[in-house]
């Protein structure tokens, strides 16, 4: 399969790869290319910006959560029909969980046989850029570093010295040189970049970065590198079911709840669900005729004042939980279903649907990949091992008498041993699941809804 593609990476964090990946997507889209974005790893926030820059849903490629075969299939399925696929890496090119580099961006690039564009922060560097590039090219020679973009270049004289050193010593294309600029920074927050769906100026920010890329990157050279990627053996797409919906699931979608993998939405729809969006911040009432609720992650602590003020919908959700409506909630959704959130000395009331309180901390209480085994105490079948990830600054305190959906073999979860609060037909956990790593999740949730509603 011919699939023009490049991986955008860097020698280390904070080199500018996320900002430049967004800019490249915006500039190529403006130039008339159909761009399919991907993000390496379990991130939610970068994909929002990449999706906004291209108008196409960004997909996550994560070796731990979804595995090699699903990565290849996702790349081909989503990339079909695009002129170029842009894959933003994470961390440094060779950084991974293991000393052998397993799970690194380089490992992903090798798996999907994609050329790599290395973003290099050139501050305080001239001739030393050559041994840096040579070291990266020679460290794992089967990783194809095909081009570099010079970032934070201080001026024409600095750029000429960098280009001269690369031309003399390195067999690699200089795709662009970005001047040092303070105009393209994206607002930072305690969990990384501010989600595009929370930023009212997101599109203006994206356009500004794209304009900078247009002026300082050779887009034709980048596209040609992408087109030179090897032809991939074709993998059959997963069979897609498009049944007539038999259940209606309300899905929390507003600035407080933005963390949803598109594959999870698609998996629920394939299982027979109609997803009906509602806003816990602004809607006074739940949508009519719902059979279940899906409350994903996000930043409810940032909007806890608005969430507390919306008493009517909080009470409707609490009543629904008590009445046995099936509810699935992840991380931010768990926090919202609790009795209250305490952060920076302020406590706000939340739904009160599960018997616990939430305490925010300055440092993460759980961060990284997570391995779970289902207990059978929820609607998920027992003794199934699933993978996911967690990233939470909050802690569950004052937990009442509940059961747990999962036993942990890796990760923090609720207490280092358990995750997934089970209360009536609600499952609320810190674990973020991806349907390709937990393929039974959507079918079993919809099956429970049908059973409860006699549908």
């Amino acid at each position: 399969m011919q699939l023009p593609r490049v991986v955008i990476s860097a020698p280390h964090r904070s080199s500018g790869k996320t900002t430049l990946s967004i800019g490249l997507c915006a500039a190529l889209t403006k130039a008339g290319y159909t761009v399919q974005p991907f993000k390496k790893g379990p991130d939610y926030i970068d994909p929002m910006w990449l999706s906004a820059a291209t108008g196409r849903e960004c997909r996550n490629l994560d070796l731990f959560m979804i595995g090699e075969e699903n990565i290849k299939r996702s790349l081909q399925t989503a990339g079909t029909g695009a002129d170029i696929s842009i894959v933003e890496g994470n961390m440094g090119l060779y950084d991974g969980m293991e000393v052998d580099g397993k799970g690194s961006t380089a490992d992903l690039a090798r798996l999907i046989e994609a050329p790599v564009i290395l973003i290099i922060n050139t501050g305080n560097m001239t001739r030393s850029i050559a041994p840096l590039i040579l070291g990266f090219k020679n460290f794992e020679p089967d990783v194809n570093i095909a081009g570099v973009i010079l970032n934070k270049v201080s001026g024409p004289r600095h750029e000429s010295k960098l280009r001269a050193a690369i031309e003399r010593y390195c067999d690699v294309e200089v795709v662009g040189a970005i001047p040092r600029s303070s105009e393209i920074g994206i607002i930072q927050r305690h969990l990384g970049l501010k989600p595009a769906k929370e930023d009212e100026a997101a599109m203006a920010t994206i356009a500004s970065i794209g304009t900078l890329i247009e002026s300082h990157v050779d887009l034709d050279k980048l596209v040609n590198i992408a087109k030179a990627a090897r032809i991939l053996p074709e993998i059959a797409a997963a069979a897609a079911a498009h049944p007539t919906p038999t259940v209606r699931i309300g899905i929390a979608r507003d600035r407080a709840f933005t963390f949803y993998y598109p594959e999870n939405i698609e998996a629920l729809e394939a299982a027979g669900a109609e997803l009906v969006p509602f806003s816990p911040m602004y809607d006074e009432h739940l949508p009519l005729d719902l059979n279940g609720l899906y409350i994903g992650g996000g930043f409810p602590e940032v909007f806890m004042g608005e969430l507390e003020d919306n008493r009517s919908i909080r009470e409707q959700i609490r009543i629904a939980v008590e009445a046995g409506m099936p509810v699935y909630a992840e991380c931010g959704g768990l926090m919202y279903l609790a009795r209250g959130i305490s952060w920076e000395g302020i406590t706000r009331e939340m739904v009160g649907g599960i018997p616990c309180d939430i305490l925010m901390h300055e440092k993460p209480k759980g961060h990284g990949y997570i391995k779970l085994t289902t207990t059978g105490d929820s609607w998920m079948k027992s003794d199934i091992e699933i993978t996911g990830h967690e990233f939470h600054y909050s802690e569950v305190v004052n937990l009442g008498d509940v059961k747990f959906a999962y036993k942990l073999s890796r990760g923090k979860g609720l207490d280092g041993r358990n995750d997934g609060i089970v209360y009536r037909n609600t499952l609320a956990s810190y674990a973020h699941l991806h349907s390709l790593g937990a393929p039974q999740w959507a079918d079993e949730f919809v099956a429970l809804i049908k059973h409860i509603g006699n549908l």
Side-chain angles (χ1 to χ4, degrees):
M1 169 181 257
Q2 185 67 52
L3 193 72
R5 61 200 182 278
V6 292
V7 170
I8 307 299
S9 189
H12 54 77
R13 292 178 181 269
S14 302
S15 296
K17 67 178 178 294
T18 296
T19 303
L20 296 191
S21 294
I22 294 166
L24 287 169
C25 285
L28 287 164
T29 301
K30 184 179 176 182
Y33 293 98
T34 299
V35 182
Q36 175 58 48
F38 295 92
K39 170 65 182 180
K40 191 262 179 187
D43 190 10
Y44 288 106
I45 298 175
D46 288 6
M48 291 185 208
W49 288 93
L50 295 168
S51 297
T54 60
R56 289 171 70 98
E57 198 80 68
C58 182
R59 306 283 170 155
N60 293 74
L61 304 178
D62 189 275
L63 287 157
F64 182 87
M65 288 202 305
I66 71 174
E68 294 185 358
E69 193 72 8
N70 281 325
I71 281 177
K72 293 177 182 178
R73 181 174 290 109
S74 181
L75 179 80
Q76 293 189 17
T77 301
T80 297
D83 299 313
I84 182 172
S85 291
I86 300 287
V87 182
E88 183 201 338
N90 69 344
M91 302 190 290
L93 178 62
Y94 294 114
D95 296 327
M97 293 188 294
E98 309 295 340
V99 70
D100 63 0
K102 184 66 177 175
S104 66
T105 297
D107 198 22
L108 174 64
R110 188 165 37 237
L111 174 69
I112 64 175
E113 301 185 67
V116 174
I117 304 296
L118 208 60
I119 309 296
I120 301 177
N121 183 342
T122 63
N124 302 314
M125 179 189 297
T126 54
R127 186 170 180 262
S128 292
I129 197 169
L132 173 66
I133 294 171
L134 290 172
F136 270 76
K137 283 181 66 69
N138 295 329
F139 184 66
E140 292 183 356
D142 57 344
V143 175
N144 176 20
I145 299 176
V148 297
I149 294 177
L150 311 176
N151 194 23
K152 298 187 178 180
V153 177
S154 61
R157 186 166 178 266
H158 185 204
E159 180 180 342
S160 66
K161 288 183 177 183
L162 293 166
R163 286 182 178 273
I166 294 169
E167 183 178 347
R168 179 164 181 173
Y169 297 106
C170 309
D171 180 22
V172 67
E173 294 267 19
V174 177
V175 179
I178 310 297
R180 188 182 301 277
S181 171
S182 61
E183 298 178 0
I184 60 171
I186 297 174
I187 298 170
Q188 298 289 318
R189 191 189 282 153
H190 61 284
L191 288 186
L193 288 173
K194 184 175 181 179
K197 293 178 182 178
E198 290 181 31
D199 188 353
E200 295 178 357
M203 295 312 297
T205 301
I206 290 168
S208 176
I209 302 170
T211 297
L212 188 76
I213 294 297
E214 283 179 336
S215 302
H216 298 283
V217 172
D218 188 331
L219 296 179
D220 290 337
K221 188 176 289 187
L222 178 74
V223 171
N224 287 335
I225 290 173
K227 286 181 176 179
R230 292 182 59 182
I231 294 175
L232 295 172
E234 192 161 350
I235 296 178
H242 298 285
T244 300
T246 54
V247 302
R248 282 168 55 88
I249 299 176
I251 180 169
R253 301 299 291 258
D254 58 23
R255 290 188 296 158
F257 302 99
T258 57
F259 293 176
Y260 296 95
Y261 291 125
E263 291 87 350
N264 287 9
I265 305 299
E266 293 161 0
L268 288 170
E269 291 174 340
E274 176 188 0
L275 279 297
V276 185
F278 72 95
S279 169
M281 290 175 63
Y282 303 119
D283 290 343
E284 293 184 3
H285 305 285
L286 286 171
L288 296 175
D289 301 323
L290 294 183
N291 310 113
L293 294 175
Y294 179 14
I295 309 175
F299 296 107
E301 71 276 17
V302 175
F303 303 100
M304 63 185 190
E306 292 93 328
L307 292 169
E308 181 186 52
D309 289 343
N310 194 349
R311 296 179 184 277
S312 62
I313 202 166
R314 285 196 289 114
E315 180 64 8
Q316 288 178 42
I317 294 172
R318 188 193 66 77
I319 291 171
V321 169
E322 288 294 337
M325 177 181 282
V327 179
Y328 177 71
E330 288 186 348
C331 199
L334 181 160
M335 296 166 65
Y336 179 58
L337 290 178
R339 289 184 292 249
I341 298 175
S342 297
W343 186 34
E344 296 181 338
I346 299 172
T347 298
R348 301 288 191 184
E349 289 185 6
M350 293 293 115
V351 169
I354 52 178
C356 67
D357 300 300
I358 299 296
L359 180 62
M360 295 295 299
H361 296 271
E362 292 184 1
K363 295 182 179 180
K365 299 298 290 183
H367 181 201
Y369 290 115
I370 192 167
K371 277 188 178 180
L372 313 159
T373 301
T374 55
T375 63
D377 285 328
S378 74
W379 39 265
M380 300 180 76
K381 293 177 183 176
S382 62
D383 297 322
I384 304 295
E385 185 175 88
I386 54 181
T387 56
H389 71 100
E390 60 179 339
F391 193 1
H392 52 98
Y393 282 66
S394 72
E395 176 184 16
V396 168
V397 295
N398 306 321
L399 181 60
D401 184 17
V402 298
K403 295 180 179 180
F404 300 107
Y406 313 120
K407 291 291 184 184
L408 273 72
S409 57
R410 176 192 178 114
K412 174 67 175 178
L414 292 165
D415 56 13
R417 303 180 305 277
N418 305 291
D419 199 11
I421 295 170
V422 179
Y423 179 76
R424 300 194 185 278
N425 290 315
T426 292
L427 195 169
S429 74
Y430 275 125
H432 293 283
L433 304 185
H434 192 294
S435 64
L436 296 181
Q440 78 285 359
W441 162 79
D443 286 338
E444 291 181 5
F445 186 44
V446 171
L448 171 72
I449 294 171
K450 289 180 179 179
H451 174 73
I452 296 297
N454 294 315
L455 301 172

